[in-house]
């Protein structure tokens, strides 16, 4: 009942004209960038982060960012279905059946089941978030320094181990992020670390600079380098036919169970330390394919193959917010960018957030309900507008992103050095994408590294330098043990196949953009 009361207070806040405007701007921009091939929510929030710092309204800004995240999840289905090019990695599973439906003259049905499924899943998962988050935050208050250190290790290791095709490359990306987090003056000793005599580095490498370099500049340069390889033919949008919301009675009967099952996959997987939307979307696709009574349609446009993954995709976002808000742990690249936004407003997500800033938290959660309604209204009636967006000349689009990214970095710091650092990181990020080095571990290392170092030192200080503090507390040992399991898990299929005399691929998943 306490959660319900707080949620109602959140609705009172979010239904103000100003916050409704922030939500509308967020979902519109999010849908727009989700539609554009190769541009995901992390890149968009990275671009808008410098602008948002001038707004001096943390509640409205975070509502807008949440709308961008949700909108990009919705919009990614449009480019997956009509162009067979996912706008972000979590929409890959949708493109498998969605594009085939569009080719067979069922684009509207595919878009409708994706939009309605996203609405259903996001609504259910947001209800779960509202009733789960506060109890977890209450539990997290009992965490000690050693527990937080182990939790940070678990979060970084699981994301590093589960994304990308190589554990070694993932660890190299994580190490680079940890190195960036160490640059600047050590808070304990006052010594300068890795500044190389550059005064601008004494305060460390700005998070906005790194985020814009990794996502806005790096992703744009990478996509621009392979423009000729990107498909350009958009599947035609057939004339509107009968049925409610372009779905026949049979479509509804086949879609709604897939929506519910996708939700059950998306929310818990999003809440895990290795959270994100890729794992639940592919699991949902596999389950729907095995359960389907229409096996002959798979690979040719089975509607369950769109409904399930899209529901899992959107439900995972509410799950991602659970560790972000209650523990201050980002489990995806976009969540890490949102954590940076919190820090710039001097707000620390974690167990104390629900006590220190309850108005902000519950307004943010309530805004997810409002944003869902707005997104449903945007996606179905305005589908022809989003099709036109797909026809924007790519060179013009990506040139504009680079200009905006440059101005954003300079506006925050007023330093040419920061702009040069952003472009150096961007060029490096382009080559990382080219050679399959995951990006997410870099940003997680940058944000979680300093926190992990602080908690490690605090634990040793409280134990008078006794290292056994990390192996005597049961919760700490459990979290570190799970980190070891996470390192081994991707290799288990390969080891099992060798024991049986066969061969198998390493278990891995794409990054959450």
């Amino acid at each position: 009942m306490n959660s319900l009361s707080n949620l109602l207070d959140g609705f009172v806040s979010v239904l103000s004209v100003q916050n409704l405007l922030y939500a509308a701007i967020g979902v519109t921009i999010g849908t727009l960038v989700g539609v554009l091939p190769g541009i995901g929510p992390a890149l968009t929030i990275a671009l808008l982060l410098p602008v948002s710092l001038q707004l001096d309204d943390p509640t409205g800004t975070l509502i807008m960012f949440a709308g961008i995240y949700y909108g990009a999840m919705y919009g990614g289905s449009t480019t997956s279905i009509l162009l067979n090019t996912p706008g972000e990695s979590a929409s890959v599973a949708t493109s498998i059946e969605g594009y085939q439906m569009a080719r067979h003259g069922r684009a509207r049905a595919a878009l409708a089941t994706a939009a309605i499924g996203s609405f259903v899943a996001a609504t259910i998962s947001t209800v779960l978030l509202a009733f789960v988050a506060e109890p977890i935050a209450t539990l997290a208050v009992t965490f000690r320094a050693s527990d937080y250190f182990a939790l940070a290790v678990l979060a970084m290791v699981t994301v590093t181990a589960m994304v990308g095709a190589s554990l070694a490359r993932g660890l190299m990306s994580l190490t680079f992020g940890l190195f960036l987090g160490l640059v600047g003056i050590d808070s304990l000793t006052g010594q300068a670390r890795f500044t190389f005599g550059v005064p601008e580095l004494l305060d460390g490498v700005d998070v906005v600079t790194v985020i814009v370099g990794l996502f806005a500049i790096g992703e744009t340069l990478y996509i621009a380098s392979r423009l000729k390889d990107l498909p350009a033919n958009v599947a035609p949008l057939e004339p509107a036919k009968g049925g409610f919301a372009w779905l026949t009675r049979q479509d509804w009967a086949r879609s709604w169970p897939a929506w519910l099952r996708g939700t059950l996959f998306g929310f818990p997987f999003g809440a895990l330390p290795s959270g994100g939307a890729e794992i639940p979307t592919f699991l949902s696709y596999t389950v729907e394919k095995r359960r389907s009574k229409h096996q002959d349609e798979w690979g040719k446009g089975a509607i369950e193959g769109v409904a399930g993954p899209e529901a899992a995709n959107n439900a995972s976002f509410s799950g991602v917010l659970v560790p972000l808000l209650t523990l201050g742990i980002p489990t995806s690249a976009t969540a890490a960018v949102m954590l940076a936004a919190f820090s710039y407003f001097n707000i620390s997500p974690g167990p104390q957030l629900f006590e220190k800033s309850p108005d902000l938290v519950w307004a943010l959660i309530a805004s997810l309900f409002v944003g869902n309604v707005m997104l449903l209204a945007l996606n179905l009636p305005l589908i022809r507008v989003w099709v036109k967006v797909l026809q924007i000349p790519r060179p013009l689009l990506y040139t504009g992103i680079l200009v905006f990214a440059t101005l954003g970095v300079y506006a925050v710091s007023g330093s040419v050095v920061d702009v040069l650092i952003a472009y150096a990181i961007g060029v490096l990020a382009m080559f990382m994408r080219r050679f399959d080095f995951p990006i997410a571990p870099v940003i997680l290392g940058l944000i979680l590294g300093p926190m992990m170092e602080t908690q490690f030192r605090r634990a040793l200080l409280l134990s008078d330098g006794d290292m056994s503090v990390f192996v005597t507390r049961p919760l700490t040992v459990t979290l570190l043990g799970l980190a070891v399991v996470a390192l081994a898990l991707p290799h288990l299929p390969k080891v099992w196949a060798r024991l049986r005399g066969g061969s198998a691929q390493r278990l891995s998943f794409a990054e959450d953009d």
Side-chain angles (χ1 to χ4, degrees):
M1 292 300 296
N2 187 41
S3 296
L4 182 60
S5 175
N6 290 330
L7 183 60
L8 292 176
D9 291 339
F11 273 110
V12 172
S13 175
V14 79
L15 291 177
S16 67
V17 175
Q18 181 174 338
N19 286 334
L20 284 174
L21 181 61
Y22 276 118
I25 292 173
V27 297
T28 304
I29 294 176
T31 304
L32 173 65
V33 298
V35 168
L36 295 173
I39 302 180
L43 189 157
T44 310
I45 296 178
L47 283 172
L48 291 177
L49 194 54
V51 178
S52 68
L53 303 182
Q54 314 300 324
L55 298 179
D56 196 28
D57 182 4
T59 301
T61 302
L62 293 172
I63 287 174
M64 181 176 67
F65 284 169
I68 290 172
Y69 201 160
Y70 254 160
M73 293 292 193
Y74 270 76
S77 64
T78 302
T79 183
S80 297
I81 292 168
L82 298 181
L83 197 58
N84 198 26
T85 305
E88 38 89 30
S89 58
S91 297
V92 172
T94 303
S95 66
I96 299 173
E97 300 298 327
Y99 184 63
Q100 293 301 320
M101 288 185 67
R103 288 187 60 191
H104 289 84
R106 302 207 65 211
R108 288 184 182 271
L111 292 167
T113 194
I116 299 171
S118 297
F119 173 79
V120 171
T123 302
I124 295 174
S125 60
T126 304
V127 171
L128 294 175
L129 168 66
F131 288 96
V132 166
E134 196 165 21
I136 293 179
T138 303
L139 176 64
V141 173
T142 64
F143 277 34
R144 297 182 183 176
S146 60
D147 300 329
Y148 272 109
F149 167 77
L151 186 64
V153 171
L154 175 61
M156 288 192 293
V157 166
T158 48
V159 173
T160 301
M162 294 299 288
V163 301
S166 168
L167 177 61
R169 291 174 184 173
L171 291 175
M172 290 175 68
S173 296
L174 177 63
T175 302
F176 176 56
L178 291 172
F179 166 74
L180 292 176
L182 292 175
V183 174
I185 296 177
D186 179 22
S187 59
L188 188 64
T189 65
Q191 296 294 316
R193 302 188 297 190
F194 304 111
T195 58
F196 306 105
V198 180
E200 287 83 357
L201 292 180
L202 289 175
D203 291 330
V205 181
D206 195 280
V207 176
V208 173
T209 301
V210 177
I211 289 173
V212 172
L214 285 174
F215 294 105
I217 298 174
E219 293 287 319
T220 302
L221 292 177
Y222 173 71
I223 295 169
S225 68
R226 50 191 292 270
L227 276 178
K228 294 181 180 179
D229 300 328
L230 296 178
N233 296 322
V234 181
L237 193 67
E238 79 279 7
K241 301 176 183 177
F244 181 67
W246 306 329
L247 295 175
T248 64
R249 182 175 298 179
Q250 184 184 23
D251 291 336
W252 279 96
R254 293 173 59 178
S255 293
W256 73 262
W259 295 336
L260 298 180
R261 286 191 290 266
T263 305
L264 295 179
F265 280 117
F267 183 78
F269 271 96
L272 291 175
S274 58
E278 293 78 15
I279 298 176
T281 52
F282 279 103
L283 281 176
S284 175
Y285 179 85
T286 303
V287 168
E288 295 305 324
K289 185 175 182 180
R290 290 180 178 177
R291 292 178 57 93
S292 178
K293 298 178 181 178
H294 307 272
Q295 292 294 330
D296 57 315
E297 294 186 16
W298 287 87
K300 302 177 183 177
I303 196 168
E304 300 96 329
V306 179
E310 273 305 298
N313 182 8
N314 282 267
S316 67
F317 171 58
S318 298
V320 165
L321 286 181
V322 173
L324 178 64
L325 296 177
T326 61
L327 301 172
I329 300 294
T331 58
S332 70
T334 311
V337 180
M338 291 187 68
L339 182 61
F342 274 98
S343 66
Y344 266 93
F345 289 113
N346 294 318
I347 300 171
S348 300
Q352 304 298 327
L353 182 63
F354 284 79
E355 297 179 5
K356 294 181 178 179
S357 305
D359 295 341
L360 184 149
V361 174
W362 291 105
L364 178 61
I365 294 174
S367 75
L368 302 181
F369 290 99
V370 176
N372 270 314
V373 176
M374 290 180 174
L375 282 167
L376 192 62
L378 279 174
N379 275 264
L380 292 179
L382 301 180
I383 184 58
R384 290 194 175 277
V385 175
W386 307 125
V387 173
K388 293 293 183 182
V389 169
L390 288 172
Q391 300 172 359
I392 295 177
R394 305 284 178 81
L396 182 64
L397 173 67
Y398 297 125
T399 301
I401 291 176
L402 289 178
V403 171
F404 193 62
T406 304
L407 293 176
V409 172
Y410 187 77
V412 170
S413 62
S415 171
V416 177
V417 173
D418 279 357
V419 175
L420 295 177
I421 291 174
Y423 269 87
I425 293 175
V427 172
L428 181 61
M430 178 187 70
F431 284 106
M432 290 175 68
R433 285 294 307 271
R434 171 66 179 81
F435 295 104
D436 294 326
F437 281 80
I439 300 296
V442 178
I443 191 65
L444 291 179
L446 170 67
I447 292 179
L448 292 183
M451 186 268 278
M452 184 176 67
E453 180 191 18
T454 300
Q455 298 297 344
F456 179 79
R457 287 177 163 183
R458 184 176 297 169
L460 290 180
L461 185 64
L462 294 174
S463 64
D464 293 327
D466 185 3
M467 292 290 291
S468 66
V469 68
F470 298 106
V471 294
T472 55
R473 184 165 167 80
L475 181 56
T476 304
V477 173
T478 301
L479 293 173
L480 291 176
L482 289 174
V484 174
V485 172
L487 283 173
L489 182 61
H491 301 280
L492 289 182
K494 194 173 183 179
V495 173
W496 178 252
R498 285 187 178 180
L499 292 175
R500 300 185 63 181
S503 61
Q505 293 282 336
R506 174 185 179 273
L507 179 66
S508 64
F509 298 91
E511 289 187 83
D512 175 24
D513 291 332

